[in-house]
Amino acid sequence: MSAPARKPVHVAVYDTLADWETGHATAYLARAGHPVRTVGPSADPVRSIGGLRIQPDLALADLRPEDSALLILPGADLWDTSQDLAPFARAARAFLDAGTPVAAICGATAGLAREGLLDDRAHTSAVSFYLAATGYGGGEHYTDADAVTDRGLITAGPTEPVAFAREILGLLGVYEGEVLDAWYRLFHDSDAQAYDVLEKAAAR
């Protein structure tokens, strides 16, 4: 009897998205058998800050929390220069209300702050005063850490894509315990000994 199909992980894509922030997470989610689907403001192509043209798999209006394992929100210049991405912050609220986790990095954390989603959760971002500039009410819950997970919400700053991925892989059970730690040490610290741990785990 085959294992039940896993729900897809949805990665938000929009113009000016920071394309370096989600690669570690999506690569290892896909390797572990999690379908990865992109969701845009519409079905029209978008272009990342690095100039990559991305054709979304579906439009945000067609995304439902019950059909997803996780919503990933990367940073983008648009988070701080317009209200164009506010619908993605509202979608994050719907996901969390439905019990489906959300992961936000870089400017997406500011979008969630403006939506009020960080007012009562431990969280992090680039720096505390970046989020304080949004006028949000969660400053006392800001944590100076590479990445933070609290009640289904992962946050990280723009310099921590590997830690961001670590929290995602741990939350979805791709890696656990010493294997998750080894994965992080390999890609964050270039620790050669960590590779041996991963090889032994893959052989089991």
Side-chain angles (χ1 to χ4, degrees):
M1 186 175 183
S2 60
R6 288 175 167 152
K7 290 182 179 179
V9 170
H10 288 92
V11 181
V13 294
Y14 21 70
D15 287 333
T16 75
L17 80 90
D19 35 20
W20 65 90
E21 293 178 341
T22 60
H24 285 87
T26 55
Y28 281 85
L29 287 168
R31 282 188 165 189
H34 287 271
V36 177
R37 302 288 180 264
T38 53
V39 54
S42 69
D44 296 333
V46 300
R47 195 167 295 276
S48 77
I49 199 169
L52 299 180
R53 183 180 184 275
I54 302 169
Q55 176 66 58
D57 292 314
L58 73 161
L60 183 60
D62 298 322
L63 178 65
R64 302 188 307 169
E66 59 267 32
D67 297 331
S68 183
L70 171 73
L71 174 62
I72 300 177
L73 300 174
D77 291 345
L78 287 178
W79 282 113
D80 295 320
T81 60
S82 75
Q83 291 297 309
D84 290 357
L85 302 186
F88 285 91
R90 291 194 291 271
R93 177 179 291 282
F95 266 61
L96 293 171
D97 286 348
T100 305
V102 173
I105 185 170
C106 189
T109 62
L112 298 193
R114 294 185 190 98
E115 182 64 20
L117 295 175
L118 305 184
D119 286 353
D120 62 353
R121 282 181 169 86
H123 60 275
T124 193
S125 184
V127 287
S128 60
F129 56 81
Y130 170 64
L131 291 186
T134 68
Y136 84 129
E140 65 183 303
H141 301 295
Y142 186 89
T143 303
D144 188 10
D146 53 13
V148 173
T149 301
D150 186 10
R151 288 179 292 139
L153 178 60
I154 296 168
T155 51
T159 61
E160 298 294 345
V162 179
F164 185 58
R166 178 196 63 204
E167 298 300 300
I168 290 171
L169 299 176
L171 184 69
L172 294 184
V174 173
Y175 298 128
E176 298 177 332
E178 68 171 4
V179 178
L180 180 62
D181 177 66
W183 183 91
Y184 178 73
R185 288 188 289 112
L186 178 63
F187 288 98
H188 188 266
D189 304 325
S190 300
D191 184 345
Q193 292 182 338
Y195 183 78
D196 292 336
V197 177
L198 293 175
E199 283 289 280
K200 290 176 182 176
R204 288 199 291 264

